[in-house]
Amino acid sequence: MNTLVCLEPGLFAYQQHPHPTVQPGQALIRIRRIGICGTDLHAFQGTQPFFSYPRVLGHELAGELLDAGGAEGFAAGEAVTFIPYFNCGHCIACRRGLPNCCASIKVFGVHADGGMTDVVAVPADKLVHGEGLSYDELALVEPLAIGAHGVRRAAVEPGEFVLVVGAGPIGLGVMEFARIAGARVIALDINEQRLAFCREKLGVAHTINALTPDVAAQLADITHGDMPTVVIDATGSQKAILGAFPYLAHGGRFVLVGLQKGDISFSHPEFHKREATLMSSRNATRADFEHVIASMKQGLVQPTTYITHRVRFEEVKAEFAQWLDPATGVIKAMVELG
């Protein structure tokens, strides 16, 4: 099989890998679409935590099911996606129904080789029905599920002001599912082009450029002096995370969906007086995947709007580096196979 391998930061190579064979409990999927994720970009840059090289990237995937591996209700030939977080099933998190933060989790394309290839073998119990969605839509279920999970972690309530820091693909998903939960969304980013996308494509009423000197004053004006009761970071930028603590309302919740390598520090008195809650949001659960698919089918989310760039699999090596440059305007690059 033709497989794209990230040998080290900044270096890709196409290699021929053996076709996977059917193993008990494993399903085989012929890959048709690969969404390029921030994790893939960070891995290429060498800034992704919990990562080693060489690695086959790719975990935003959709394809044709070749062998269901005994998974009940699935049939060869149907369009599927899958949950790319492989958990152990017996650690404290798994026993408590939190497989997304399993103590020894293996994320496909991060801790284990992923989907930038022709055919993959995955645990059959991770399969997700396509429900009549297109391959493009199915490849976007996973990143949207990340956003949906972050919103669920925040326990967003109708009418709340939710500040989403970062208007990349994950941040856009957070905004979408905060809106679906009934929130009043505020988008904060340094890229004016992405803020315009939020306004024009997602209908976000309030957008703020983080480079302006009066962000806190703008937030106070929008929220009638209260400040946002939920702040969700989707940047993975230490500077953005640290800078957002003062934007949190008293009694508010700060959820970290983005991930960065450094430490987080903040004023204890300022945080304490707010009786604030700080939490992380890792991966997503099957319930989040199902919520995303149901929302797509109901027309509440139009995921293909995010696709700004398309390439064939054979073009990825040549095109990938440019997606690191904000000037290219990439929001979501989609790789096509077959």
Side-chain angles (χ1 to χ4, degrees), residues 32-270:
R32 297 299 190 190
R33 296 290 188 278
I34 306 166
I36 301 301
C37 175
T39 298
D40 303 322
L41 298 172
H42 295 157
F44 186 74
Q45 287 179 306
T47 59
Q48 176 64 29
F50 314 126
F51 201 85
S52 62
Y53 303 85
R55 179 67 67 221
V56 179
L57 306 180
H59 63 271
E60 297 181 1
L61 303 165
E64 176 189 350
L65 186 61
L66 300 179
D67 190 310
E72 187 175 349
F74 287 86
E78 70 174 289
V80 296
T81 186
F82 64 94
I83 301 169
Y85 326 123
F86 305 157
N87 60 300
C88 72
H90 54 75
C91 73
I92 179 61
C94 291
R95 296 199 310 272
R96 297 183 63 233
L98 302 169
N100 57 297
C101 60
C102 166
S104 56
I105 199 164
K106 297 289 188 292
V107 177
F108 200 64
V110 179
H111 312 106
D113 283 344
M116 288 197 179
T117 189
D118 294 322
V119 176
V120 298
V122 302
D125 63 356
K126 300 298 184 182
L127 289 174
V128 177
H129 285 291
E131 299 284 353
L133 298 177
S134 69
Y135 287 135
D136 282 346
E137 291 170 320
L138 288 173
L140 292 168
V141 170
E142 191 273 344
L144 286 170
I146 297 287
H149 187 72
V151 169
R152 187 154 64 91
R153 285 283 286 154
V156 171
E157 299 177 358
E160 281 193 287
F161 279 105
V162 175
L163 172 64
V164 181
V165 185
I170 298 299
L172 298 178
V174 172
M175 294 177 206
E176 294 270 55
F177 285 92
R179 170 184 54 78
I180 290 170
R184 292 177 284 181
V185 176
I186 308 167
L188 180 68
D189 200 283
I190 61 173
N191 186 320
E192 194 57 47
Q193 185 176 4
R194 289 195 168 185
L195 292 174
F197 184 93
C198 293
R199 293 189 297 270
E200 296 164 10
K201 301 296 186 181
L202 303 190
V204 175
H206 307 289
T207 61
I208 301 174
N209 193 311
L211 297 179
T212 56
D214 59 345
V215 172
Q218 292 182 68
L219 287 170
D221 183 61
I222 292 167
T223 62
H224 314 295
D226 291 336
M227 303 301 279
T229 49
V230 176
V231 175
I232 302 179
D233 176 80
T235 66
S237 160
Q238 185 184 56
K239 181 178 180 181
I241 292 168
L242 300 185
F245 277 92
Y247 304 152
L248 187 63
H250 283 241
R253 293 96 72 201
F254 194 160
V255 181
L256 302 178
V257 176
L259 176 64
Q260 52 85 38
K261 282 188 171 182
D263 295 335
I264 295 173
S265 61
F266 50 87
S267 167
H268 188 180
E270 287 296 319

